[in-house]
Amino acid sequence: MPCFTFLIMGRFQLNDSHKHIYFIGGVSLILLFIYSGLYFMMPLNEINPFEYFFGRDLNVYNIVDIITGGSVIPLISIITGYMLSQYGYTGKKHLSKVLGIALVILVLNAVLIFGFDTMPFVILMAFIGLIFVGRHWIITLAAAITLFALHLMFNVVLEIIAGLNSNIQHMYSGIQRVNEFISTYRSTDYLAIININIDTLTAGGPDSLYNAIFIILPSVLLGVALRELNFFGFIKDSPYISGGIIMVLLAGGIATKLLQVLSLGTTTGETLGEGFGGPVTAIGYFMILVYIADSIPQSVFNLFYNLGKYGLTSYIVFNILMMFIFYGFGMAMYGQISVQMLLFIVAALYILLIIVSNVSAKYNIPALEQTFQINKKMKRE
């Protein structure tokens, strides 16, 4: 959830290089919150934003989509893979236990609260990532690049070619389906909400699994490889080279996403932006956060570090609060607010969770993360 699957294991003394990943996770939560918030606000996968929004709301949405579209889940997956490798010394049996419990929690979250949640698929791919923990970074990186290359070939290039040859260049909003979501989530029938959550979670079928294998898994493996490569050390020792790489990745990824916006929502533009621009931007985000982690004041670092330590709890609490804000048994704001108002709500909840997580860290208040506490005396295998 960032990837809080392992942001959940920071319950013991860590050196500075270990702490950085928690800082990255804490900062990344805001992107995840915005991404999830859009689906709490409306069934985003059922609409064409260029039909649904207009005026300032469309402009704000386009900016948000450039920043988060296609990049948030790969970013969380990179963090998850990095944490897998970082805690590889605890043993794969222990990591499997952590992943198993996290999977149960996140599946329950998807069924009971947020049916659009993609995080269970991140955890499933993390199980596969365990196979590569401890292996040479070249092997892991080669596997990640191979999977991503297959994704580009079959999921991006062929889709673009098919789109260019098709008479249908835009996805049109499914108004009937949108109205079904709105009427259900604005109702007080919780069983109906659970049913539509289950339908949403399972609707993708093989396509969801395909996307997980060729988009999420390469990002997890990249995170594992970067940890084995001592990537944080590279950023610290080569600031100018890494700075140039960051600029190229962010500029290339965001430019590709901008083409998606300029194409006014065509299937070709969306495929290129989400399938290529998003993952590239995610790598740029990860690198720039690594870069920032070494250069900000310690007091600021600790704010986000503590949020990262309570990442799983913060994500679940965020979903619960959003449920009561948007669903019918709460404030029933589903389908009723603008993107600007959503950003205000998400920002307010993010600040609240920063405060709560730092208070919890100060007084060592136990949370969901306590379930994953490891033995401090465990020796490196």
Side-chain angles (χ1 to χ4, degrees):
M1 325 224 115
C3 242
F4 44 63
T5 56
F6 295 98
L7 300 179
I8 50 188
M9 294 197 295
R11 312 296 294 176
F12 52 93
Q13 286 298 108
L14 301 168
N15 60 40
D16 288 342
S17 62
H18 284 135
K19 284 185 175 182
H20 286 170
I21 195 65
Y22 292 92
F23 166 82
I24 294 171
V27 175
S28 299
L29 272 174
I30 185 60
L31 297 177
L32 182 62
F33 288 176
I34 293 173
Y35 175 81
S36 299
L38 288 171
Y39 286 91
F40 268 108
M41 171 185 167
M42 60 191 167
L44 194 61
N45 61 322
E46 299 289 342
I47 68 171
N48 181 345
F50 292 88
E51 294 178 343
Y52 194 86
F53 300 117
F54 57 90
R56 180 179 296 178
D57 214 26
L58 178 59
N59 293 335
V60 174
Y61 172 80
N62 284 334
I63 293 173
V64 171
D65 188 48
I66 289 172
I67 295 172
T68 64
S71 61
V72 173
I73 299 304
L75 173 61
I76 298 308
S77 301
I78 293 172
I79 297 171
T80 300
Y82 195 98
M83 299 300 288
L84 274 175
S85 181
Q86 177 164 297
Y87 288 97
Y89 70 91
T90 65
K92 293 183 179 181
K93 181 178 180 180
H94 172 77
L95 293 178
S96 297
K97 172 189 172 184
V98 170
L99 289 173
I101 297 175
L103 180 62
V104 170
I105 293 172
L106 293 172
V107 168
L108 288 175
N109 173 73
V111 171
L112 301 178
I113 302 175
F114 182 43
F116 291 95
D117 197 356
T118 312
M119 291 311 301
F121 294 102
V122 175
I123 305 302
L124 288 174
M125 294 304 102
F127 276 107
I128 300 177
L130 275 177
I131 299 172
F132 293 85
V133 172
R135 298 182 182 274
H136 197 283
W137 66 268
I138 293 180
I139 297 175
T140 309
L141 184 61
I145 292 174
T146 300
L147 287 172
F148 188 66
L150 291 173
H151 159 67
L152 291 179
M153 182 182 301
F154 295 106
N155 217 25
V156 177
V157 175
L158 292 183
E159 287 289 334
I160 290 176
I161 293 174
L164 292 174
N165 293 328
S166 173
N167 293 325
I168 302 176
Q169 292 296 321
H170 292 79
M171 182 192 81
Y172 295 96
S173 301
I175 300 301
Q176 183 175 351
R177 184 66 170 157
V178 171
N179 290 335
E180 179 184 349
F181 275 100
I182 291 175
S183 62
T184 301
Y185 282 121
R186 284 179 56 81
S187 73
T188 57
D189 188 348
Y190 186 55
L191 289 180
I193 291 175
I194 291 177
N195 286 333
I196 202 169
N197 282 344
I198 294 174
D199 289 342
T200 302
L201 184 65
T202 58
D207 288 340
S208 297
L209 189 59
Y210 180 89
N211 290 333
I213 292 174
F214 291 101
I215 298 177
I216 295 176
L217 182 56
S219 301
V220 171
L221 296 181
L222 177 61
V224 174
L226 292 178
R227 175 63 176 81
E228 300 292 340
L229 185 59
N230 189 22
F231 184 69
F232 284 13
F234 168 75
I235 294 288
K236 188 174 183 179
D237 296 337
S238 307
Y240 297 108
I241 296 177
S242 57
I245 296 174
I246 291 170
M247 292 177 62
V248 169
L249 289 171
L250 289 179
I254 292 175
T256 306
K257 292 290 296 176
L258 186 60
L259 289 176
Q260 176 184 348
V261 173
L262 294 176
S263 68
L264 302 180
T266 62
T267 54
T268 299
E270 182 178 357
T271 299
L272 182 62
E274 299 285 332
F276 175 75
V280 170
T281 305
I283 300 172
Y285 286 159
F286 184 80
M287 290 187 65
I288 196 169
L289 289 174
V290 174
Y291 200 91
I292 292 173
D294 259 333
S295 57
I296 63 173
Q298 189 64 34
S299 58
V300 178
F301 178 93
N302 288 336
L303 285 176
F304 297 100
Y305 164 71
N306 288 325
L307 180 61
K309 286 205 304 179
Y310 286 91
L312 178 60
T313 300
S314 297
Y315 182 72
I316 298 300
V317 170
F318 171 80
N319 284 328
I320 292 173
L321 293 175
M322 293 290 279
M323 176 178 66
F324 283 106
I325 291 172
F326 286 94
Y327 293 176
F329 46 77
M331 298 173 66
M333 297 176 69
Y334 191 90
Q336 303 296 309
I337 67 170
S338 65
V339 179
Q340 298 99 301
M341 179 59 69
L342 172 71
L343 294 178
F344 176 79
I345 293 171
V346 169
L349 293 181
Y350 184 70
I351 293 171
L352 173 65
L353 290 170
I354 288 177
I355 295 171
V356 171
S357 62
N358 277 271
V359 171
S360 299
K362 181 177 181 180
Y363 295 101
N364 197 27
I365 298 174
L368 289 174
E369 287 75 10
Q370 196 73 17
T371 309
F372 307 95
Q373 188 173 19
I374 70 173
N375 188 347
K376 296 180 183 181
K377 296 181 180 180
M378 185 178 293
K379 296 182 179 180
R380 184 178 297 272
E381 294 184 345

